[in-house]
Structures are given as structure tokens and as C-alpha cells.
Amino acid sequence: MYDIVIVGSGPAGANLARLIGEQYKVLLIDKRELEHENPHNPANKCCGGLLAPDAQKMIARLGLGIPKDVLVDPQLFAVRTIDLTNHLERLYQRFYFNMDRGKFDRWLVSLLPAGVDKRFSSVYKGFAEIPGGYEVRYMHQRQEISAKTKVIVGADGAFSRLRESISKGIAMPEKYISIQEHFACSAPLSYFTAIFDEEISDFYSWIIPKEDHLVLGSALRPKDNTREKYDLLKTKLTQLGFHFGNKIKVEGAYIYRPKKASQLCAGRDGIALVGEAAGAISPSSAEGISYALKSSLYLAESLEEGIDGFLARYKQRMKNIRFNLLMKNLKSPVMYHPFLRQLAMKSGLEKNSYRSISRMSDRV
């Protein structure tokens, strides 16, 4: 009998287990192998692997320091914004930690208290209500196993089966497909590139340097010729002078984009949601690690006072994230409406012509 079963061991699930693992009997389930490197079951998630300033603040607030072997070169201090719709580009100063996302997740797992039971390489199957709580079913080593618990926490991302089970009547965030390809590169960029093009997506695309390769990614609407749109993006960037070498690997995942604060769901009864499963992710940038850490901290603080009434306390704390999502959505039109974005990019002192994109790309 567990006090709490956590489904998903990304930053939200692992951080929650770390914070409550000495107070409660906790079971942590994840389909990945997160304690040892396994080429047949990699820990990497389809993620750009950048720690934005908001995530850095949360790492500091939690009193953590990231080991150097989690970081990868180069560390990034600029964002080059390319607006293909308006034929503009601009360079902005912004500070990111560039990291290996798989190593980051394994590092968080390494911080767990010894009393936390970990079931990695395991697949969550479902739950049933029982007197005093729930029975959770999951597959491990080809066997179906059940665990009884008082509380379930869904930290299982944008394709959250737990959210799907409990969120009837609650609006779902808009869902996108993130596609990333890794390419060999002999002369990587020294900045993060954000690309806007309404012909490709009403969200955005990105290029991120990682050691000796580049990551080209895009957030695309499902069932909207996603592969064709991605290939068109690659063709356009190649025509501008970007050179993509041998393809190393391809990744894909669903991501949420909450357009309304009402799409945030903290949970129901004895089931709580954290991170992207709750809809806590930036609608303007798709940055999710800061929200994962913040929501898991809020839930841990709510559970410190006991299980009785924890969800009401958690919902109260989540008002902070709800307000943040509201403000992000007010900001989004400036980024994603072509005319407003054009005005914003032309308003600064640091402007470049569309032709300079080709000159810059020649160095890639």
C-alpha cells in the first residue's frame, strides 16, 4: 500500500518524488530506463534541452546545482529570430543553459530519497477506485502489476492518460506534434534560432546547436500534413544557406499549447496533475521545465500539510500558474500575428535585412 503513486518521471514527477519521498511511501513509474543508460530504451525526450531563465530561477529556488556533465557546448547567450513571413531577422540577448535532456532527467532521479520505489521500463495501464484510494495497474518485464495507493499523480506529459481519465468537462489545451531531427555539423552555431513562418505552423520552429550536431525542430498541428510541412521548413532553410549534414536521429512527441487559463487542470478527487499533464506549459514558447518544477513544488507544499484536503490547497497555489498563462496568452499575439510581429521586430535598434540571413547562414 503506497501513499502516492506518481506516473511519469520527467522534471515534474522526479522533483515531486524528491520533495515528498521522505514523508510518504512513494512509487514512481516511467516507461524509460532512468537509472542506467540503455541504448534500447533511451532516456531522451523530444525536447530542445534548453534551460530558459524561468527554469534557471526554479533550479535556484529549489537549491539545486546542475552537474557539468549534464551541460553540452555551446552555452547560449543569444536568440536569432528569423521571420520568413515578413522577411526579417533580429538578434536578441537571452541566456540559456544548453544541456542533454536525458542526462538532466537521470540527474533528477539520482537525487531521490532511498525510500522511493522506482519502476522504470514500466508502462502505466490504468486505475480503478477502491475503498480508501485507488488500484494502479502497470506493465513491468511483461507482467501486469497492481499497486494500491491513496493518491495518484499524473506527471505523464501532453499525452497524459490520467488527464484523459479525469478531465471530462474541462477544456483540453490545443495539441501539437513536435518533430526534431539531429544532423551532424562540423561548424555549429553559437546561438539558438527561432523561426516563424505561417506557411509551416502557427507556432514556431527552432535550430539548437548541440556539441557536433544541430537539432532542427518544429511544433506542428496534427493532421495538417505535418511531415510535408517539416520537409518544407528544411527546404526553405537550405535555400537560405543552412547546411544540414548526415541525419543522426529523429524524435517526435505531442506537446500542449494552453490558449486559455481554464485549460489548466490541477486534478480531481485523489488524483493530481503536474507539469504538462496539468496544462502547465508556456503557450508562447512551449517552455515546460520551469512549470514542471513549479507545479511539483506547489503540490509537494500542499502535501506537507497532509493528504486530507491536499487538492484544494494545490488548486489555490496553482492560481499563480493560471495567472502566468493568462499573461503569456496576452503576449502571444505580438509573437504570432505576422503584422504585430513585424512591428515588434522593426521597432528595435538592432535590425537586419532579409538578405543578411543568407550571409549569416553561410557560416553554418
Side-chain angles (χ1 to χ4, degrees), residues 216-269:
L216 172 63
S218 186
L220 305 159
R221 285 191 174 275
K223 301 179 181 179
D224 189 21
N225 301 316
T226 53
R227 189 68 230 190
E228 291 83 352
K229 295 287 182 70
Y230 182 86
D231 289 340
L232 177 60
L233 168 69
K234 192 159 48 175
T235 298
K236 288 187 174 188
L237 292 174
T238 300
Q239 291 171 348
L240 289 173
F242 285 89
H243 303 294
F244 301 104
N246 294 329
K247 189 187 299 182
I248 300 171
K249 64 179 177 178
V250 181
E251 301 170 323
Y254 284 105
I255 57 173
Y256 278 152
R257 189 183 188 188
K259 292 291 191 69
K260 300 177 181 178
S262 60
Q263 293 169 344
L264 186 70
C265 177
R268 175 179 65 82
D269 300 328

Side-chain angles (χ1 to χ4, degrees), residues 60-196:
R61 181 175 174 181
L62 293 166
L64 300 176
I66 300 174
K68 64 181 180 180
D69 67 335
V70 171
L71 303 178
V72 298
D73 290 331
Q75 296 307 306
L76 305 174
F77 304 99
V79 178
R80 187 170 291 275
T81 301
I82 300 177
D83 184 341
L84 294 176
T85 301
N86 292 313
H87 302 264
L88 293 169
E89 67 154 302
R90 186 176 172 189
L91 191 69
Y92 298 90
Q93 187 179 36
R94 194 163 169 84
F95 304 100
Y96 292 95
F97 284 168
N98 199 0
M99 66 175 187
D100 183 311
R101 175 59 194 270
K103 289 183 178 180
F104 180 76
D105 285 3
R106 284 195 293 269
W107 165 65
L108 287 174
V109 165
S110 74
L111 303 177
L112 297 179
V116 174
D117 285 347
K118 300 178 288 289
R119 295 292 182 271
F120 297 137
S121 301
S122 299
V123 179
Y124 166 78
K125 301 296 291 184
F127 73 90
E129 292 190 46
I130 60 174
Y134 304 92
E135 185 174 58
V136 175
R137 296 178 292 106
Y138 63 96
M139 294 294 297
H140 180 69
Q141 297 181 346
R142 299 183 180 180
Q143 292 186 332
E144 183 168 294
I145 302 172
S146 63
K148 296 179 180 179
T149 182
K150 300 172 185 176
V151 172
I152 307 175
V153 177
D156 47 345
F159 209 57
S160 172
R161 295 183 62 186
L162 274 162
R163 174 162 182 151
E164 185 179 355
S165 300
I166 68 170
S167 62
K168 291 180 180 179
I170 300 175
M172 296 289 287
E174 293 191 22
K175 190 178 291 184
Y176 287 72
I177 292 177
S178 172
I179 299 176
Q180 285 192 160
E181 291 182 339
H182 295 240
F183 298 94
C185 180
S186 58
L189 302 173
S190 57
Y191 44 77
F192 165 44
T193 305
I195 304 146
F196 298 89

